[in-house]
Structure formats: C-alpha cells, structure tokens
Amino acid sequence: MADKYRLETLAVREGIERSQFNEHSEALYLTSSFVFDSAAQAAARFSGEEEGNVYSRFTNPTVNAFQQRLAALEGAEAAVATASGMSSILALIMAHLSAGDHIVASNSLFGATLQMLNNILSRFGITTTCVSQTDVSAWEAAIRPNTKLFFLETPSNPLTEIADIRTLCDVAHARNILVAVDNCFCTPILQRPLDLGADLVVHSATKYLDGQGRVLGGAVVGAKTFTDPVLAFLRTAGPTLSAFNAWVLLKGLETLQIRMEAQSAKALQLAQWLEAHPKVARVFYPGLPSHPQHALAMRQQKNGGAIVSFEVKGARPEAWRVVDSCELLSITANLGDTKTTLTHPASTTHGRISAEARAAAGISEGLLRVAVGLEAVEDLQADLDRGLSRN
Ligand SMILES: *Cc1c(COP(=O)(O)O)cnc(C)c1O
C-alpha cells in the first residue's frame, strides 16, 4: 500500500490482514504461541523455511500489523516493535554495536537514554561522547576510529533545540557511521528522518503514537538490513511489544495526523500568547521566529510541534506558583497525550543532575514545559495565567 496511498490513508488502512471472520477492525491476537498442522510444519516454521508465526516473542499478527503501519508512515521498509521506547534504543544498540565501539550522542537526549549510554552500556565497553545538539563541528570532532553510531533526538526536550539531520548524516556517512534519530517528539507526521538521510528511527510509542496515555511501546524503523538484526536481538532477549499494546497503538496511529496537526496548532497559539505575556521571560518553540533555529526547523519539520517550554520571570517559587495554580493542566512528566501536561524540569526530569550541570544545559529554575493536548487554547491560557498573574 505504501507507494500507492497517502499518509492519512496508510494510517487507517495499512497492515490489515483479516481472519476467516472478515472483521472490519484490526484483530487482536492474544496468544503466546501458534499451533502447527504437522511435525514437518513445526520443523519448517522453526527453521525459517516456511513463513509464519511460531511464538509471540518472535512474531505476532497484531504486532506485525502495527509494525507495517508505522513503517509505512515513516517511509521505511520495515519496523520492529518493542516493549517501550527505552527497549527500542537498547535493542538498536545491542543489534548494531559491540564492546569497543563508540557512540557520539546529543547531550540533550531523553534522561533515561543518557543514563543508559553513560552508566549501563559503558560497563559493557560501549563508550559515548556527548556533544551539543546544534554544533555540527563538535559531532565531527568527537568521531574516533571506533565510532559506529550518531544518536540524536530533535527537537530536544525541554529546550526544543534542533539537530540538523541532513548535515549530521553527511558527516557520519562520510566515515561509515550509522545515524539513528529518536523521532518521538515529531512523529512521522511532522518529520521523516529517513527521508533526510538517517539510517534508523526509534520511537517511544508511549507518547504521540498512542496519543492517549494508555500503553508503553516502542519501535525501531528503517531498511530491513538494519532492522533484521534488531528483530534477531528481540527474539532472543525478549523485550517485544505485547499484542494488546500493539492493538492499542494501531488504533492510536489512525488519529495520529489529526492529533499532531491540532496539537501543534494549539501549541503555536499558546507559544505566541506566552511570548507576549509580561510575566514570561522567554519562550522556546521552534515554530516561533524568535527560535534561534526557526529556519532549520521549518525546513526539517512540518511545523513547530506540540511541546512549548518557557521561562517565567523569577525562579523556582514563581515557576511552582504557576504549576500549583493550575486546575486543568496535569502535573506530570509524561507527554504526547490529548490531555495537556505541565512539568518543572529542574525539580523533576532533570532533578537528579547537579545544579551546575543543569545550568550548563540551560535548564533554569524558572523553566516550565507544556506538552499541549487537545483542550481549547483559551482554557489552557486561563489556567496558566492564574499562576502567572500572581507572580
Ligand atoms: C519517553 C521517551 C523515551 C522513552 O520511552 P518509554 O516508552 O518511556 O520507554 C525515549 N525518548 C524520548 C524522546 C522520550 O520522550
């Protein structure tokens, strides 16, 4: 279907394989294993001589449907689903790197990703150098003879810094280095890293792909030569996506485009309002002309996305007053939900790093992050204004 139909069509139609009951909605195959007609068939399935399902740690029809649909949306040959976003990153690295290899990564990656690279993989001989997301020459300077992977996430969380995917791919590919992009914030609706030269995309499907805060999931997306080793790792190591979660995510993908477009439009409106607010010092949103990389963001993404960060005038007490004055916005670190969420990064997601490191990373005490959902913008503004006007 992928070469024949447009994105919104693929989002609702791709990956459907009907059972003998000819159901209209996607079937949910809640089964751990599959039975064979004969000993010979069992042997052929196990050896791979005959295609077909064996055991849900290897393949499952509902999981396959989700993989096929997501691959179509990313413009990829294949996708491999995982139990969570973190396990997609782990599986990618386990499949493609070995002890002695080196990674160059953005220093503004998702916290758990940095933790995994710096504190877990380092124990197994895979080392990482972290550099500024926006400084191409720093990525180039960090390359060593054993560098195997560039890992980036754009826009970054929470400051929405943009990595220039195409330029970093040119730098990496000149040295035979793979490029993986965490496309969680944009989703394929707003940004398709493979079209810009990336080799692999990872997703936390937990966020926008589900979009309604129900399940955890993840995926690695790319050409089969790059995803097959990931599938081989999952088969053996086991962090596969459950059929139930795959089914929820399939339904999430059906509304992904209209959610991303509506949530991004609301985010832009909210960002413009915040930028004009007398109690707001600064707004970080790639869709605003004031964003230092606005032009790059608008080339690379369809719009500014649905995450807006801003600094209140003042410090922690003023930021917390805004949080504690909200009646509508959910105080939670999650994002990608239809319900708008509000986070104070310095005391939550970035609370465990030292104050100096936080300051160096630009995470000030007055910074707040809003992951805009589907509520009326006027209601979101009134909720934030209650605390801001008390400052
Ligand atoms: C949440 C998140 C992850 C981790 O995903 P989980 O599904 O929570 O494991 C990875 N990258 C980014 C950018 C995220 O926001």
Side-chain angles (χ1 to χ4, degrees):
M1 285 186 95
D3 32 12
K4 188 165 166 200
Y5 294 107
R6 290 169 181 78
L7 221 65
E8 56 262 55
T9 308
L10 295 170
V12 294
R13 294 277 179 181
E14 176 65 88
I16 294 178
E17 212 178 297
R18 297 201 166 94
S19 77
Q20 80 262 34
F21 300 114
N22 221 12
E23 67 282 346
H24 188 213
S25 179
E26 294 73 3
L28 169 52
Y29 293 97
L30 273 183
T31 180
S32 48
S33 68
F34 300 84
V35 292
F36 311 108
D37 295 336
S38 63
Q41 190 187 44
R45 288 271 179 92
F46 267 85
S47 70
E49 220 172 280
E50 180 184 307
E51 268 200 46
N53 298 294
V54 172
Y55 188 60
S56 285
R57 173 153 43 77
F58 308 172
T59 59
N60 172 285
T62 310
V63 175
N64 287 350
F66 166 66
Q67 293 177 156
Q68 224 177 303
R69 191 171 287 181
L70 179 61
L73 295 183
E74 285 284 6
E77 191 181 357
V80 176
T82 58
S84 66
M86 289 320 301
S87 53
S88 73
I89 299 169
L90 177 67
L92 182 154
I93 292 170
M94 287 297 171
H96 287 283
L97 279 79
S98 301
D101 288 342
H102 174 252
I103 300 170
V104 183
S106 158
N107 60 13
S108 54
L109 293 176
F110 184 67
T113 310
L114 284 175
Q115 185 95 353
M116 176 157 75
L117 295 173
N118 292 323
N119 301 340
I120 298 179
L121 292 168
S122 56
R123 291 197 281 116
F124 298 90
I126 297 173
T127 52
T128 300
T129 304
C130 291
V131 296
S132 161
Q133 170 103 322
T134 55
D135 184 354
V136 174
S137 60
W139 288 77
E140 199 155 16
I143 295 173
R144 298 180 191 165
N146 57 339
T147 303
K148 288 283 161 63
L149 178 70
F150 274 15
F151 191 93
L152 50 127
E153 176 190 318
T154 179
S156 72
N157 177 21
L159 294 177
T160 71
E161 288 176 347
I162 309 292
D164 184 335
I165 299 175
R166 196 181 284 282
T167 303
L168 288 175
C169 286
D170 290 344
V171 169
H173 291 157
R175 318 275 191 103
N176 272 327
I177 296 167
L178 286 176
V179 179
V181 178
D182 184 332
N183 202 26
C184 171
F185 272 34
C186 276
T187 83
I189 302 302
L190 305 187
Q191 168 175 285
R192 297 216 309 182
L194 301 176
D195 293 348
L196 299 167
D199 303 294
L200 287 151
V201 164
V202 295
H203 273 288
S204 169
T206 314
K207 311 293 169 48
Y208 291 104
L209 302 190
D210 172 17
Q212 287 143 90
R214 299 166 294 192
V215 299
L216 279 100
V220 182
V221 191
K224 256 174 89 60
T225 47
F226 295 133
T227 59
D228 277 347
V230 176
L231 185 62
F233 170 77
L234 284 184
R235 264 183 90 129
T236 307
T240 34
L241 185 66
S242 81
F244 180 77
N245 287 5
W247 180 82
V248 172
L249 292 169
L250 266 168
K251 304 314 277 180
L253 289 183
E254 294 187 355
T255 55
L256 181 63
Q257 173 155 8
I258 55 173
R259 282 188 283 107
M260 287 313 289
E261 286 178 356
Q263 289 175 234
S264 304
K266 287 168 196 281
L268 175 61
Q269 269 183 281
L270 190 71
Q272 288 165 337
W273 176 80
L274 284 165
E275 197 163 51
H277 199 289
K279 299 293 177 72
V280 171
R282 187 172 171 196
V283 180
F284 303 84
Y285 183 68
L288 290 176
S290 60
H291 189 286
Q293 296 160 292
H294 176 65
L296 169 63
M298 292 302 101
R299 271 203 307 281
Q300 185 165 286
Q301 307 174 194
K302 196 167 176 191
N303 60 42
I307 309 280
V308 182
S309 292
F310 65 100
E311 268 168 2
V312 299
K313 286 184 179 163
R316 184 174 295 204
E318 287 75 19
W320 277 22
R321 188 166 299 121
V322 174
V323 175
D324 290 333
S325 303
C326 281
E327 293 168 3
L328 195 61
L329 274 64
S330 312
I331 308 172
T332 168
N334 198 19
L335 61 96
D337 202 299
T338 51
K339 298 177 177 69
T340 299
T341 65
L342 179 63
T343 312
H344 179 245
S347 58
T348 59
T349 52
H350 295 69
R352 277 184 298 173
I353 58 177
S354 70
E356 298 75 52
R358 235 182 359 249
I363 314 289
S364 71
E365 288 290 327
L367 185 73
L368 292 170
R369 189 199 72 193
V370 185
V372 180
L374 284 178
E375 302 94 336
V377 184
E378 295 79 0
D379 293 334
L380 299 176
Q381 290 168 353
D383 216 36
L384 289 167
D385 193 47
R386 198 172 307 109
L388 284 170
S389 59
R390 283 180 196 151
N391 279 342

